């Protein structure tokens, strides 16, 4: 039995249910880790392994050296510790260990935690308990969140940065005007260096959000037929963002917070935390310059809210936060400011993740379009909005696919990025011509599916959730 730092047995909400193999593989930071972890997903390479009711899983994996790698996983996080030199989280050994555990192999019987694993587990849980106790004391005392040591110095730094961003926005307006006066055809000329030069100027102005949008403009002329229309649309949105920043004092606060976020100013999560049972709908990584951005979508069972967790990994490293798709966590989320308030920060977790939950109720294709349109009123730069489609059927349409309401009253085209992913064929196979429930993002390019449930899934999200990305 694993003991806490006070000598008392650690208590959990109940026995830890095993995850599915698909949920474990969804934690992999990349395809290479997924393949390497799968090779270690049998009892052969493992010895001295076990698990217990507190959510601990451990084992020794034979490697190329004389000593086996020591691997331990805390399912309640999840969190990982391995003696291998890999910089990926979870590493292939942690993935392999979880696959052995998920398959119920006898290589990981319930037993007492060894000292080498218990030391890390106890230390981690002690820190988590101290953090939770500190947060509870602050909440009980009504103490404000920790702020900068010198508020006046922080205010002056913020003012100087705002001045630099204003200068960058004014310069960007001049360059957009020059482009339109000279004609969009100039943007397709070989060696046209306006975009990178302008993006560098936005970085100098400490406006990374503007720099990223400028770089996106540079990729449009090579995006195929119809690029001048797309370029003009994006130039208009960038002009709107510049204008909003230059007149931010006249905007209502929710929209002003959105503008600050869009130009690249960060703000801490604020407001009272929202506790709920959150179903993990999707997890995927996207490159963001020299870093990797991980997006995790959650749905609250009681509140009905959809939330986005964002985490980042430096070059060569995967983001630290990872949650298996299809599990439900009892946790607190603190929203970030801005229109929509989708993004949130993961706070205290209660008990252990459960591999069951209720899929989002879903809505029609027509209602999904309406939800995206409503969100655009609060954030005009929004590319897509999270929605769940109920009773839709994937149907081929020309060179692409559509998700058609079972009643045949409306349809949404599948977004181009999804057409080349294997997840589309998983969705088609799951449907088999019958209605399914699909979660994804609805935007101006169509619907990008991230997860699906068959009509037979019911309330068992563990066996019914099919990741599509």
């Amino acid at each position: 039995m694993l003991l806490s730092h006070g000598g008392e047995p650690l208590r959990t909400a109940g026995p830890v249910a095993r995850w599915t193999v698909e949920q474990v593989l969804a934690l992999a930071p990349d395809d290479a880790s997924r393949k390497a972890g799968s090779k270690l997903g049998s009892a052969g390479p493992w010895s001295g392994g076990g698990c217990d009711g507190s959510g601990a899983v451990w084992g020794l994996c034979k490697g190329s050296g004389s000593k086996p790698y020591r691997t331990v996983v805390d399912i309640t996080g999840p969190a990982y510790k391995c003696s291998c030199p890999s910089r990926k989280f979870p590493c292939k050994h942690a993935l392999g260990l979880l696959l052995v555990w998920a398959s119920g192999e006898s290589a990981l019987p319930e037993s007492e935690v060894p000292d080498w694993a218990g030391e890390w587990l106890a230390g981690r849980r002690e820190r988590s308990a101290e953090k939770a106790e500190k947060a509870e004391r602050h909440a009980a005392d009504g103490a404000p969140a920790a702020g900068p040591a010198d508020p006046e110095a922080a205010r002056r730094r913020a003012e100087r940065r705002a001045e630099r961003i204003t200068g960058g926005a004014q310069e960007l307006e001049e360059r957009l005007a020059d482009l339109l006066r000279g004609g969009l055809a100039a943007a397709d000329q070989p060696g046209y260096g306006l975009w990178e030069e302008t993006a560098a100027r936005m970085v100098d102005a400490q406006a990374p959000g503007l720099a990223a949008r400028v770089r996106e403009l540079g990729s449009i002329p090579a995006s195929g037929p119809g690029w001048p229309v797309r370029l003009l649309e994006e130039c208009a949105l960038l002009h709107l963002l510049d204008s909003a920043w230059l007149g931010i004092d006249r905007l209502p606060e929710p929209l002003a917070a959105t503008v600050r976020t869009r130009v690249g100013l960060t703000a801490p999560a604020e407001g009272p935390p929202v506790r709920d049972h959150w179903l993990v709908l999707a997890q995927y990584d996207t490159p963001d310059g020299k870093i990797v951005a991980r997006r995790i979508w959650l749905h609250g069972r009681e509140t009905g809210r959809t939330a986005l967790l964002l985490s980042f990994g430096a070059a060569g490293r995967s983001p630290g936060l990872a949650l298996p798709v299809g599990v439900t966590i009892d946790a607190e989320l603190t929203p970030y400011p801005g229109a929509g308030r989708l993004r949130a920060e993961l706070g205290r977790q209660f008990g252990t993740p459960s591999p069951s939950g209720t899929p989002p109720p879903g809505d029609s294709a027509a209602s999904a379009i309406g939800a995206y349109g409503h969100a655009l009123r609060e954030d005009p730069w929004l590319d897509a909005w999270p929605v769940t489609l109920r009773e839709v059927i994937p149907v081929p349409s020309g060179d692409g696919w559509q998700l058609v309401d079972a009643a045949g009253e409306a349809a949404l085209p599948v977004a181009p990025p999804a057409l080349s992913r294997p997840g589309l064929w998983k969705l088609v196979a799951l449907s088999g011509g019958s209605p399914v429930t699909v979660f994804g993002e609805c935007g101006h390019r169509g619907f990008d599916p991230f997860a699906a449930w068959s009509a037979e899934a019911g309330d068992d999200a563990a066996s019914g959730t099919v990741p599509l990305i």
Side-chain angles (χ1 to χ4, degrees), residues 51-394:
C51 62
D52 76 349
S54 74
V57 183
W58 63 91
L60 303 175
C61 186
K62 182 180 179 181
S64 57
S66 57
K67 295 183 178 180
Y69 294 120
R70 293 179 170 183
T71 308
V72 56
V73 179
D74 184 358
I75 302 299
T76 63
Y80 323 92
K81 176 70 173 178
C82 186
S83 60
C84 76
S86 175
R87 300 173 64 189
K88 297 180 179 180
F89 295 97
C91 67
K92 63 180 182 181
H93 304 101
L95 288 171
L97 179 66
L98 286 174
L99 288 172
V100 176
W101 172 70
S103 63
E105 293 234 18
S106 58
L108 299 177
E110 289 200 16
S111 57
E112 184 176 345
V113 181
D115 292 341
W116 61 268
E119 182 179 352
W120 175 78
L121 286 162
R124 180 185 179 279
R125 291 173 178 177
E126 178 180 356
R127 291 189 296 272
S128 298
E130 290 175 350
K131 183 178 179 181
E133 290 173 3
K134 184 177 180 180
E136 288 178 356
R137 287 197 302 270
H138 275 282
D141 298 340
D150 188 345
E152 180 60 25
R155 184 188 63 80
R156 290 195 297 268
R157 288 194 298 270
E159 288 179 350
R160 289 195 295 269
R161 183 175 182 184
E163 291 174 358
R164 285 192 287 268
I165 294 176
T166 296
Q170 291 170 341
E171 180 178 345
L172 182 54
E173 282 294 279
E174 295 174 359
R175 298 201 175 199
L176 288 175
D178 290 341
L179 172 66
L180 295 177
R181 277 195 296 265
L184 296 180
D188 194 31
Q189 295 176 1
Y192 187 71
L194 171 67
W195 307 122
E196 280 304 319
E197 178 189 350
T198 305
R201 294 288 298 139
M202 296 305 103
V203 172
D204 293 340
Q206 294 186 292
L210 294 179
R213 298 190 77 92
V214 169
R215 291 194 183 97
E216 290 177 5
L217 292 182
S219 65
I220 293 177
S223 63
W227 69 263
V229 174
R230 293 191 291 274
L231 180 59
L232 184 60
E233 291 174 347
E234 294 302 321
C235 284
L237 286 172
L238 187 52
H239 165 67
L240 181 64
L241 183 56
D242 283 339
S243 302
W245 172 263
L246 296 175
I248 196 169
D249 293 339
R250 301 188 299 272
L251 299 179
E253 180 50 36
L255 183 56
T258 298
V259 171
R260 285 191 287 268
T261 300
R262 290 295 183 183
V263 301
L265 289 174
T266 58
E270 61 183 17
V274 179
R275 182 177 176 180
D276 204 340
H277 291 83
W278 302 94
L279 173 64
V280 182
L281 298 172
Q283 173 180 293
Y284 62 98
D285 296 346
T286 55
D288 188 359
K290 294 183 179 180
I291 63 176
V292 174
R294 172 166 294 168
R295 288 168 169 80
I296 301 177
W297 285 107
L298 307 174
H299 178 265
R301 184 175 67 194
E302 284 80 21
T303 62
R305 295 180 60 164
T306 301
L308 172 65
L309 305 181
L310 272 179
S311 59
F312 301 91
R317 303 195 65 173
S318 59
L321 181 61
L323 296 173
V325 174
V327 304
T328 298
I329 58 173
D330 181 4
E332 293 179 340
L333 299 185
T334 303
Y336 281 83
R341 297 176 70 84
L342 282 177
R343 187 186 173 190
E345 181 179 272
L346 179 62
R348 184 181 179 186
Q349 298 185 52
F350 306 86
T352 58
S354 169
S356 62
T358 304
D363 218 324
S364 66
S367 297
I369 298 173
Y372 175 51
H374 179 79
L376 281 175
R377 293 191 300 179
E378 298 183 348
D379 184 355
W381 306 278
L382 193 66
D383 289 328
W385 185 255
V387 294
T388 301
L389 301 179
R390 182 187 67 247
E391 294 188 349
V392 292
I393 303 173

